[in-house]
Amino acid sequence: MSFARRALPLTLLAALVALGASPVSANGPDELAPAENLLAVFDQARHADPTLRGQHFELEHLRERRREDLSRLMPQVTLSGDIRRTRRDQTQSGMEGEQETTRDFTMRRYGVDLRQPLVDMPAWHGLTRGDREVRRGEAELEVARQELVARVTEAYLQVLGAQSGVELAQQELRAIQANEERVSGLFEERMVARVDLEEVRARRDSAQAALIRAEGELDVALERLTEITNVPHQRLAALREDVTLPSPDPDDLDAWVEQALAANPHIRAARQRVEAAEADIRGARAGRYPSVDLVASYSYLDDLDGTAFGRKYEDAAIGLQMDVPLYTGGGVTARSRGAVHTRDRERTALEATRRGVRADVRAAWRSVLSSRSEIAALEQAVRSNERSVEAVDAGFGAGLRPLSDVLDTQRDLFAARRDLAQARHEYLIHFIELRRAAGALYEGDIVALNDMLTHAGGSAAR
């Protein structure tokens, strides 16, 4: 009979340890919040992230400045007009003495002036600089987009890691509680010593403390995600257990480095800064060149005041105007030298950006390979620990192994499961970081990762 009391809890414990248990909320199993998936979270972040919105505004600002540069090469038309009512009191001396007269008259004058730049090299180079600035803004917007994808994905996966920590802590606590129930029954029958009962109770208390700590880490991870989306979150769709994690394609570090040097938006933005600085050099040196404008005007004047001196005429003129700078006090030379120094500074920044990107790609690549090997090792460790738990639990049931061995192997199993879950999430973070460093991270990667999630619950389905 005593064997039956021992064997039944053993079966229950094996089921808890080998299969785990579904997570429950603090308010009971029927009050779980519906799981949000990655696509829904990213959509919230895309509309709420201030960094991405700020970069959109910066790009529009650069486009308007480019239009301002273009306006310097477009026709400039000015319309002017003047109408004036005059009363003139006039005294004239003559043969008959002084005569005073008063006249009221209206003077009308208006005109149109047109100026079309034909040769204005500083303005042309300014337009070229504006084009480079717009391209820089587009590259920096792409930087913001890719960084948003990376930040959202990393924050999401950190929440999943914290969720896994809570779930595994709950499972471990329930397994220890099952052990406590079994040992309590054996203690009542005087089949185990009090030290065994106190040891399992101490493990239970430690497991409860670990659960509280895991729940706190989950709250922190959720808050970090809320910082990006500006929306509170409760529970996220987790990775499927049977999912096959993606591998780098191509499986060659040099190819990833080459891709990064060609496509990374940080490098593209730095390269556009260099080209803009070179346009500044050409524009500064062009300050020595003549400028030629086509000018045309039309004017009308009606100033008839009733005397012989009144006027009324129309003028129309068209011609070319050339301005040749002869001496500018050394300003052109100083601007040219300053532009050269700016170009050299931007070239240095471009080289630093290249080196940083190259280092990021290599670091991410090594992290991906390391995580992949770690996952394989941890999967084997989980299988080995599951067999160890079964063997040690059976030995305890037969009276061949002490309770401390059961608790130790059980602890090792849950530790291996936690490490495996963490390694899977970290692998995906490193994989996303590799694609971001290579300039190949797009919203399509969000879709691919979302397909790896468990789409339980209405809000999780796409």
Side-chain angles (χ1 to χ4, degrees):
M1 182 174 179
S2 61
F3 178 79
R5 288 195 61 180
R6 179 178 294 190
L8 182 59
L10 174 62
T11 304
L12 175 61
L13 176 63
L16 282 170
V17 172
L19 301 178
S22 60
V24 295
S25 70
N27 298 321
D30 296 331
E31 299 185 21
L32 276 173
E36 296 178 275
N37 63 17
L38 182 56
L39 275 179
V41 171
F42 179 74
D43 188 62
Q44 295 165 354
R46 183 171 48 189
H47 291 90
D49 183 63
T51 302
L52 183 62
R53 294 173 61 192
Q55 197 57 52
H56 272 292
F57 295 142
E58 173 65 16
L59 178 57
E60 291 304 315
H61 167 70
L62 293 174
R63 285 172 175 166
E64 294 302 328
R65 286 184 55 183
R66 193 264 180 194
R67 295 185 186 103
E68 181 181 352
D69 294 332
L70 177 62
S71 69
R72 296 174 58 191
L73 297 169
M74 302 299 289
Q76 310 293 316
V77 181
T78 304
L79 174 66
S80 61
D82 187 10
I83 183 169
R84 189 179 306 165
R85 181 69 177 173
T86 304
R87 166 169 287 191
R88 180 173 296 168
D89 294 328
Q90 185 173 3
T91 302
Q92 292 180 331
S93 297
M95 298 294 294
E96 300 178 359
E98 293 184 352
Q99 295 181 354
E100 295 184 359
T101 59
T102 300
R103 289 188 300 274
D104 294 325
F105 61 93
T106 302
M107 187 274 290
R108 297 178 179 87
R109 178 175 56 194
Y110 55 85
V112 178
D113 295 302
L114 179 143
R115 179 180 294 271
Q116 170 62 61
L118 300 179
V119 178
D120 190 343
M121 298 309 296
W124 278 106
H125 292 305
L127 181 61
T128 301
R129 186 187 192 285
D131 291 334
R132 300 297 182 266
E133 288 292 322
V134 169
R135 293 178 186 175
R136 174 183 65 82
E138 292 171 345
E140 290 179 346
L141 178 61
E142 183 61 25
V143 168
R145 286 194 183 116
Q146 294 196 17
E147 288 185 348
L148 179 62
V149 172
R151 285 190 292 123
V152 170
T153 304
E154 181 177 357
Y156 188 98
L157 290 170
Q158 286 176 345
V159 171
L160 294 192
Q163 282 184 178
S164 297
V166 171
E167 293 169 8
L168 289 168
Q170 290 172 340
Q171 294 172 18
E172 184 173 9
L173 177 59
R174 286 193 289 272
I176 293 176
Q177 288 171 339
N179 260 331
E180 182 183 8
E181 180 182 352
R182 175 170 57 166
V183 172
S184 296
L186 296 175
F187 179 74
E188 291 175 359
E189 296 181 1
R190 302 182 182 277
M191 297 182 64
V192 295
R194 175 172 289 277
V195 65
D196 292 326
L197 180 60
E198 295 301 330
E199 181 175 1
V200 74
R201 286 175 177 173
R203 296 292 182 102
R204 178 204 62 197
D205 294 338
S206 297
Q208 288 176 337
L211 175 59
I212 293 172
R213 182 173 59 252
E215 290 173 341
E217 292 172 353
L218 176 58
D219 289 339
V220 171
L222 287 169
E223 187 59 36
R224 288 174 179 166
L225 183 60
T226 298
E227 180 183 357
I228 301 175
T229 64
N230 200 32
V231 175
H233 305 278
Q234 295 185 22
R235 194 166 65 91
L236 305 181
L239 283 175
R240 300 197 312 270
E241 292 294 332
D242 60 343
V243 70
T244 300
L245 298 178
S247 297
D249 184 23
D251 193 10
D252 178 64
L253 174 58
D254 292 337
W256 282 97
V257 172
E258 183 179 353
Q259 160 77 13
L261 295 178
N264 185 280
H266 285 285
I267 294 179
R268 298 207 317 264
R271 190 179 296 120
Q272 292 303 322
R273 288 192 186 95
V274 173
E275 295 182 6
E278 290 174 345
D280 277 342
I281 295 174
R282 294 191 294 269
R285 290 173 177 171
R288 300 186 178 94
Y289 303 153
S291 63
V292 180
D293 296 337
L294 171 67
V295 293
S297 63
Y298 169 81
S299 61
Y300 170 83
L301 175 64
D302 182 354
D303 191 17
L304 295 176
D305 59 357
T307 68
F309 300 101
R311 301 174 298 170
K312 183 177 182 180
Y313 63 81
E314 294 182 57
D315 282 342
I318 187 171
L320 296 175
Q321 177 179 326
M322 183 176 69
D323 295 317
V324 181
L326 297 179
Y327 180 66
T328 61
V332 172
T333 301
R335 283 193 296 272
S336 300
R337 287 199 300 261
V340 169
H341 295 322
T342 300
R343 188 272 315 275
D344 293 342
R345 182 194 66 197
E346 296 300 340
R347 283 180 174 175
T348 302
L350 173 59
E351 179 59 24
T353 302
R354 285 197 181 106
R355 294 182 186 182
V357 167
R358 189 184 298 115
D360 289 344
V361 170
R362 289 173 175 170
W365 173 265
R366 294 187 180 97
S367 296
V368 166
L369 296 185
S370 176
S371 294
R372 188 164 58 186
S373 300
E374 183 182 10
I375 289 172
L378 287 171
E379 287 174 342
Q380 180 60 42
V382 168
R383 290 190 291 268
S384 298
N385 277 284
E386 287 175 347
R387 291 193 296 269
S388 176
V389 166
E390 293 176 1
V392 172
D393 209 6
F396 176 72
L400 301 176
R401 301 294 294 268
L403 177 63
S404 60
D405 287 353
V406 175
L407 299 177
D408 288 343
T409 55
Q410 179 179 288
R411 179 194 58 202
D412 293 342
L413 172 61
F414 281 108
R417 285 178 171 173
R418 275 192 296 270
D419 292 343
L420 176 59
Q422 185 68 21
R424 283 159 57 88
H425 297 140
E426 288 182 353
Y427 175 84
L428 290 175
I429 291 175
H430 296 321
F431 181 78
I432 290 296
E433 179 59 27
L434 175 62
R435 294 189 63 84
R436 187 199 64 80
L441 184 60
Y442 308 107
E443 294 183 12
D445 295 297
I446 292 284
V447 177
L449 286 176
N450 196 70
D451 291 338
M452 302 179 190
L453 304 178
T454 56
H455 298 289
S459 65
R462 294 190 358 246

